[in-house]
Amino acid sequence: VSYATDTRAEFAILVVELVTDGLSGWGEVFLPRVEPLWSWAQRVTPLLVGQDAALLDALMDRWPADRPKLGLKECATYCHPDVDCVAEAVSIALHDLTARVQGVRFADLLGSVKRTIIPGMPVVALRPPSDMADEAAAWVRDGLGHVKIKLSGDAGLDGARVRAVRAAVGEGIGLQVDANGGYADWESAVSLLDVLNESRVDVIEDLYDVGAVDLYRRAREILDG
């Protein structure tokens, strides 16, 4: 798959299973298959044995402080040095297990449920705008009402992609874009924001790098909806 910052033939994923009283909770996260992160996962997950899963993220307060950190180059698009990916997977598993024990939905532990039906959508990978538009139109002809298109981090080319796909699928079709953090600063993406508004894009995913909260806040002030 090709996306804004890389092309990969496979992805390494860490899967965590937590078990109690015959019930299992599952968590997962993208994690590069490199040391020391895999050894870290094997070291810390046993620390949860015998703990109360209902404490959820409060258990993370007991997490060892000497977490290994990779650089951005080692993490690639998998993770960020400031994010403990292993803890993310464990947290998801804790929530999943607690929800099963309590007989409620996972979402009920996080807040009110906003929707019970989530639209599925195909991903249109990076290619020339006309090719992406043709693929998106084919999916719509097959009856799908939502399409997700990848962006590259080049505002001019990405804008052409978004416009071409919207023209090909017409109105009433949900559009989501995903840049995989391909835009590093405000100036690189600011011209694209107008195109996203113009093309009535419904969901914008990972436009900027992980942790770029201020950039997302500024973008929200410009984006419609």
Side-chain angles (χ1 to χ4, degrees):
V1 60
S2 294
Y3 48 95
T5 53
D6 206 354
T7 297
R8 293 180 180 270
E10 64 179 20
F11 291 88
I13 298 175
L14 171 70
V15 177
V16 174
E17 180 188 16
L18 302 180
V19 180
T20 186
D21 298 329
L23 297 173
S24 292
W26 294 86
E28 56 85 21
V29 68
F30 282 135
L31 196 68
R33 193 181 291 111
V34 295
E35 296 298 343
L37 293 187
W38 285 88
S39 293
W40 174 249
Q42 294 172 332
R43 170 189 166 190
V44 298
T45 46
L47 300 178
L48 297 168
V49 174
Q51 302 297 320
D52 182 0
L55 295 176
L56 299 174
D57 285 336
L59 288 178
M60 299 296 101
D61 293 337
R62 308 173 190 177
W63 215 243
D66 58 340
R67 172 176 67 87
K69 293 186 178 183
L70 300 181
L72 278 173
K73 183 177 180 180
E74 296 170 293
C75 285
T77 57
Y78 280 99
C79 60
H80 190 278
D82 294 334
V83 178
D84 184 347
C85 292
V86 177
E88 293 294 321
V90 170
S91 175
I92 294 171
L94 285 170
H95 282 76
D96 187 29
L97 179 59
T98 300
R100 294 176 188 275
V101 170
Q102 295 181 4
V104 300
R105 292 172 295 191
F106 189 109
D108 292 328
L109 301 180
L110 304 178
S112 60
V113 175
K114 298 299 184 183
R115 62 178 67 180
T116 57
I117 298 175
I118 306 297
M121 66 190 74
V123 175
V124 180
L126 288 174
R127 295 194 306 285
S130 59
D131 292 345
M132 294 177 69
D134 288 344
E135 181 182 347
W139 285 116
V140 171
R141 286 195 299 271
D142 286 341
L144 293 173
H146 295 78
V147 177
K148 175 177 175 177
I149 59 178
K150 288 292 187 178
L151 302 182
S152 65
D154 179 324
L157 186 54
D158 286 342
R161 290 181 168 115
V162 173
R163 286 190 172 113
V165 169
R166 173 53 80 192
V169 301
E171 299 299 325
I173 300 300
L175 285 188
Q176 176 170 338
V177 297
D178 180 6
N180 291 104
Y183 288 91
D185 51 45
W186 178 254
E187 289 73 20
S188 63
V190 65
S191 65
L192 179 63
L193 300 181
D194 289 335
V195 178
L196 300 180
N197 278 337
E198 166 199 316
S199 302
R200 294 164 300 286
V201 171
D202 301 285
V203 180
I204 301 167
E205 179 181 352
D206 293 340
L207 190 62
Y208 303 105
D209 197 5
V210 174
V213 177
D214 289 339
L215 296 183
Y216 281 107
R217 184 179 296 112
R218 291 178 66 184
R220 285 196 60 144
E221 295 174 353
I222 294 177
L223 293 167
D224 294 335

